[in-house]
Amino acid sequence: SQKIEQNSEALNIQEGKTATLTCNYTNYSPAYLQWYRQDPGRGPVFLLLIRENEKEKRKERLKVTFDTTLKQSLFHITASQPADSATYLCALMYSGGGADGLTFGKGTHLIIQP
Amino acid sequence: EPEVTQTPSHQVTQMGQEVILRCVPISNHLYFYWYRQILGQKVEFLVSFYNNEISEKSEIFDDQFSVERPDGSNFTLKIRSTKLEDSAMYFCASNPRTSGKEQFFGPGTRLTVL
């Protein structure tokens, strides 16, 4: 079965630096790879989506890359702020159909220190 | 901004009892989902629902689980006979289908089975 690994359980970054989070998967590539933010006791919040034929997507301070050869996505937050502290989840969607459930990784807990 | 709502926020029940978790998806959305997250673990897909029927379900979604859209706004998850291992956070999500693949999650219901 598909396995998703996110780079570490916790990542400490100094405010102002770029945080880079990793999502690796095994087996076949998804049609879509998504990144969500989850705060304690809350539901995931969608951040960015990238398609399997795309290499990079940007939104404000966020950037995601997708390498289907390496089976890896990188998620970058530039000019990080303490308010960016949260758990970031990688989620895979295998086909383009709306009925697809998302397959989530366990998440990386990001801590931005002032 | 429209959002997914869920009730109750916390449900405590005895093992063997039936529970119904309620969700009101965003009004013009057409796909609905249930996920669960056991404490400290990843978010796991349970079921998707479209056009008044189940579209896809995971191995977790066995005969103890059922979903229903009893009227034009509510979407429910019923667990027929709860087990201790059903204790988790349950998230409802929805997707408009017409645009994008992102899913909009509710705040969750924490289910505690004693």
Side-chain angles (χ1 to χ4, degrees):
Chain A
S1 63
Q2 185 70 278
K3 201 172 168 188
I4 302 168
E5 288 191 6
Q6 296 194 238
N7 59 326
S8 57
E9 286 203 7
L11 188 64
N12 283 272
I13 300 289
Q14 198 73 29
E15 182 178 6
K17 302 287 187 189
T18 296
T20 298
L21 284 61
T22 305
C23 174
N24 292 295
Y25 59 91
T26 58
N27 301 336
Y28 47 94
S29 289
Y32 300 87
L33 191 147
Q34 304 185 23
W35 285 88
Y36 286 79
R37 170 183 172 141
Q38 187 176 29
D39 290 285
R42 310 285 297 173
V45 175
F46 172 78
L47 296 173
L48 272 177
L49 172 152
I50 189 164
R51 293 171 171 77
E52 63 177 328
N53 61 351
E54 295 177 322
K55 297 288 185 195
E56 184 179 299
K57 271 291 212 21
R58 290 175 186 260
K59 181 182 173 185
E60 298 171 353
R61 294 185 296 113
L62 308 180
K63 183 177 89 171
V64 62
T65 62
F66 192 11
D67 188 327
T68 54
T69 303
L70 293 178
K71 297 187 179 180
Q72 181 181 80
S73 174
L74 298 179
F75 178 77
H76 307 271
I77 305 175
T78 58
S80 58
Q81 304 163 0
D84 295 327
S85 299
T87 296
Y88 289 84
L89 311 177
C90 168
L92 276 53
M93 175 182 273
Y94 287 98
S95 77
D100 271 19
L102 295 168
T103 302
F104 282 91
K106 202 171 172 187
T108 297
H109 182 44
L110 178 65
I111 301 165
I112 306 297
Q113 295 177 333
Chain B
E1 189 172 325
E3 54 185 26
V4 176
T5 59
Q6 291 186 243
T7 54
S9 57
H10 191 188
Q11 172 96 45
V12 181
T13 190
Q14 295 290 327
M15 191 169 56
Q17 294 295 305
E18 174 184 288
V19 294
I20 297 176
L21 309 183
R22 290 184 166 79
C23 168
V24 178
I26 296 172
S27 66
N28 62 342
H29 285 195
L30 300 176
Y31 282 102
F32 314 115
Y33 314 84
W34 283 102
Y35 293 82
R36 79 170 185 194
Q37 187 174 31
I38 295 169
L39 188 63
Q41 298 189 26
K42 62 182 180 179
V43 177
E44 298 175 291
F45 169 71
L46 294 178
V47 66
S48 62
F49 192 85
Y50 171 70
N51 203 24
N52 279 320
E53 59 183 26
I54 290 174
S55 297
E56 188 180 313
K57 59 184 181 179
S58 71
E59 292 174 354
I60 303 167
F61 193 87
D62 61 21
D63 292 344
Q64 294 287 2
F65 292 90
S66 62
V67 289
E68 197 177 36
R69 187 153 162 85
D71 53 44
S73 58
N74 290 284
F75 178 50
T76 62
L77 174 69
K78 183 194 292 186
I79 309 175
R80 196 162 296 121
S81 176
T82 49
K83 304 189 275 279
L84 294 175
E85 53 265 37
D86 293 327
S87 294
M89 196 77 157
Y90 288 81
F91 295 109
C92 172
S94 67
N95 170 275
R97 182 176 182 252
T98 53
S99 62
K101 303 295 181 188
E102 64 267 33
Q103 295 181 13
F104 296 80
F105 284 77
T109 293
R110 179 167 298 285
L111 176 65
T112 302
V113 182
L114 302 176

